[in-house]
Amino acid sequence: MGNGIRIRKVAVLGAGVMGAQIAAHLVNANVETLLFELPAKEGDPNGNVNKALEGLKKLDPAPIASPNKLSYIQAANYDQHLEKLRDCDLIIEAIAERIDWKSDLYRKVAPFVNANAIFATNTSGLSINKLAEAFPENLRHRFCGIHFFNPPRYMHLIELIPCKGTEAGLLDQLETFLVSTVGKSVVRAKDTPNFIANRIGVFSMIATKHHAAAFNLGFDMVDALTGRYLGRPKSATFRTLDVVGLDVFAHVVNTMRDNLNEDPWHKHYELPGWFQYLVEQGSLGQKTKRGIYQKIGKEIHVLDLHTKEYRLSDAKVDDGVKDILRERDWAKKLAGLRLNPHPQAQFLWATFRDVFHYCALHLGDIANNARDVDFAVRWGFGWDKGPFEIWQAAGWQQVAGWINADIAAGKAMASAPLPFWVTAPSRIGVHSEQGSFSPTSQNDQPRSTLPVYRRQLFPDALQGETHHYGETVFETDEVRMWHMGDGIGILSFKSKMHTVNNEVLDGVLRAVDEAEANFSALVIWQTEAPFSAGANLLQLMQGVQETPAESGLFGKLKGAVNRVKYTAAGGGGMGDLFNAATGNVPKVEEVVAKFQQTSMRLKYAQVPTIAAVDGLALGGGCEFSIHCTRIVATLESYIGLVEVGVGLLPAGGGCKEMAQRAAAEARGGDIFPILKRYFQHIAMGEVAKSAEMAREMGYLRPSDRIVLNKFELLHIAKEEAKALNATAYRPPLHQHQIPVAGRTSIATFKASMLNMLEGGFISEHDYNIGCRVAESMCGGDVEAGSLVDETWLLDLERKNFMELLATEKTQARIEYMLKSGKPLRN
């Protein structure tokens, strides 16, 4: 870390919901972590901490990247273990939000805090300066606020808040650690109530609630309007409240009411009657199984304000309003909402207007610049675009004029005029290539120059900023190969969800050729997640009605599948007829063979190939990855061979590669126990819920890398390529003698699946698929220990794939997946 101390060990004080999850995420990041709690009244003094750690196992989504990591959190209590704090370079205090309790704790631990340690309080709204006063004066320069968002593993945002005396270098050190090691996005906030994200996000909820009442819209209607249509999470407004907890929300609003007396919106910082009613009833949201919403059986019910009863949630957005909301261009979207008299449209315009008004007026007090506000709301509340970005995209002066008109007409929630900088004639927004506007300094502030950000080749972009993805090597409709002048080729897919079709295969093959001829390595990296959702099923299932020019992966269904059926039945003429009728449609099997050839090309290329994985890498996306020289994956990568879900099996080299790995790991011993694990993953279509789990499942090898910050992925993938070349890279040698498990293992697999079939756990077709997976992975009907080569295994998986594709049940599964996005169990 160059400057100052390295953060080697961290202590988290308080094993409540936040403390325990923060500790979990620190061990996800391989940081030595101690978790402190009050000693238990009886039995094991660490009883309280251990109970909290047990509780982590039950949380969904899982706070820990793999259950095995849990044992790395060291349990501690304040009676026996304060001495251990002396070794900690960072102490995060995360006890309940009460200044008196926090002060008591500070007095207790202060004598054990190392003089060079950083002491950070995790609070969502208490004043950092007030808390600092309770902290011993000689250590106050090592004190600051840190605000993690719930759930800490998945929420990008961390707000850092200095107190008056915080040493400047301390925040730089902490930010570097949080960004690179812990994988977070950091915003520095001023010490104002609720900081940035909650101040704006909660006001947005208050404005939404206010206008919903004014326009008489039900909770479910508001959520139908304020979710994905506005580029926000599906949980929209009130569903989000249930997830957060009504008690937590009340606490945040009360903080605003008690501390913001001068605020022009102060009178709106109150909770309506229905809110008190729910809290008094103990209906606090998700954690009490009932809040604004309640799940009854499979149905979602919602509180009706007029009757105080729950009714079925069935809100329907007006068709005219829906058309406006589908508009991608914010200028047209906001203008359309403002002009449409329908209450749903008027409600939305009013909410936007008041949020813009609020952000403009408070920008100077709460944040260093407009970028910090937009990123805080995006990273902390999951909006696709922050409030200033939307305003700028919709036409800055136009919208400012509308806001002013509404303020003058008395329609806005507050009458304070917009600040003068907003309406300066030259202003066209707050974000530009030069930086983002700061009312305090009256200029545009560039992004942070901390060295850690040099690792982010393409940081999260704002409205007004554009990414230039290097120099193009070649580009087709489906892929683009490019470079940044350092001799490393980068391939990015352009297909939807980065699925793999015939043209993508051509693109990958061409990119490997290019890389061998003109580059030192090839990195497959997507400009946004997912890495790849697998083979394009639509192209597999498309009918003959398509023109040959649009032909894609696996050709056309009716003709192609009929051809498979016909060939399987020993015929042969019909497929050729079909080909003659529709021109040059690639035969299904040829494309499957090309998929296998592409995987093998990635594995045996003369230059290192790196799969830079983030998000989903399923089916074919997983097969590409496991054939590359290295996988560099973000922690939040979800990797698996899921083909059985659509009635197929991995035939892009997946079965072959896992059989080969099992043989290598057996080191001459019994292959079956190792193969059994890999077989189960494939036969059950299991997906690893993190890169850490993917390593345990065998998809990531010990030499593959896990990255915590997705914005560092490309940088690390390139560094990995350079390291491979530093040792004079050679591709692996072709293995001509791979021992296989053979027919005895196939019989064992079949026997256990027969039990499952008879017990009703799997269907006939599941059994059929499982038998074919077993045959492909065990090397077919040969003696155990027989030696085969990769081609033998590839031919087996391809044959079984084609035969499954010819079955009606597999076709039904594929069609169902395409229609509903869910697997069909038949």
Side-chain angles (χ1 to χ4, degrees), residues 157-188:
L157 180 63
I158 289 186
E159 291 172 318
L160 282 188
I161 312 96
C163 67
K164 289 189 188 74
T166 307
E167 242 171 73
L170 174 140
L171 286 183
D172 289 351
Q173 240 177 310
L174 187 51
E175 181 165 346
T176 300
F177 169 76
L178 292 171
V179 168
S180 213
T181 305
V182 188
K184 295 299 172 198
S185 295
V186 171
V187 165
R188 297 201 186 182

Side-chain angles (χ1 to χ4, degrees), residues 148 341 657 824:
F148 280 86
E657 186 63 19
L824 170 70

Side-chain angles (χ1 to χ4, degrees), residues 140-218:
R140 217 166 278 171
H141 62 291
R142 308 297 297 162
F143 185 85
C144 68
I146 187 170
H147 180 206
F148 280 86
F149 281 68
N150 195 9
R153 171 180 161 188
Y154 302 94
M155 297 303 285
H156 270 286
L157 180 63
I158 289 186
E159 291 172 318
L160 282 188
I161 312 96
C163 67
K164 289 189 188 74
T166 307
E167 242 171 73
L170 174 140
L171 286 183
D172 289 351
Q173 240 177 310
L174 187 51
E175 181 165 346
T176 300
F177 169 76
L178 292 171
V179 168
S180 213
T181 305
V182 188
K184 295 299 172 198
S185 295
V186 171
V187 165
R188 297 201 186 182
K190 297 184 180 183
D191 187 21
T192 58
N194 295 336
F195 313 126
I196 303 174
N198 277 342
R199 179 81 180 267
I200 303 299
V202 167
F203 177 76
S204 172
M205 288 177 152
I206 288 173
T208 303
K209 164 185 75 68
H210 173 86
H211 293 300
F215 289 102
N216 197 17
L217 302 178

Side-chain angles (χ1 to χ4, degrees), residues 225-234 325 330 333 352 378 381-385 390:
L225 290 163
T226 58
R228 289 309 301 150
Y229 279 132
L230 303 184
R232 296 183 197 167
K234 285 203 294 281
L325 289 174
W330 275 106
K333 196 186 251 187
F352 272 116
R378 270 166 53 169
F381 279 79
W383 294 19
D384 294 350
K385 290 251 180 272
I390 294 172

Side-chain angles (χ1 to χ4, degrees), residues 540 554-576 578 586-590 592 648 772 798-808 810-811:
L540 172 56
F554 310 134
K556 308 292 158 281
L557 176 71
K558 293 195 183 80
V561 170
N562 285 339
R563 182 164 67 243
V564 176
K565 280 183 188 160
Y566 198 60
T567 332
M574 207 172 132
D576 301 323
F578 164 74
K587 286 201 176 76
V588 177
E589 186 160 6
E590 282 171 17
V592 180
L648 294 165
R772 290 174 182 280
R798 191 172 68 249
K799 168 184 92 81
N800 280 303
F801 180 96
M802 295 310 293
E803 287 171 10
L804 282 170
L805 189 57
T807 64
E808 281 180 22
T810 284
Q811 290 168 40

Side-chain angles (χ1 to χ4, degrees), residues 315-362:
K316 293 275 180 289
V317 175
D318 173 73
D319 286 342
V321 175
K322 203 179 276 180
D323 289 341
I324 302 172
L325 289 174
R326 287 202 176 113
E327 172 60 60
R328 286 271 169 89
D329 177 345
W330 275 106
K332 293 183 183 152
K333 196 186 251 187
L334 284 186
L337 291 171
R338 187 173 160 272
L339 291 173
N340 186 314
H342 195 286
Q344 293 172 13
Q346 287 303 303
F347 151 76
L348 286 168
W349 160 248
T351 308
F352 272 116
R353 172 200 64 218
D354 287 319
V355 170
F356 292 159
H357 185 193
Y358 191 86
C359 289
L361 209 71
H362 287 307

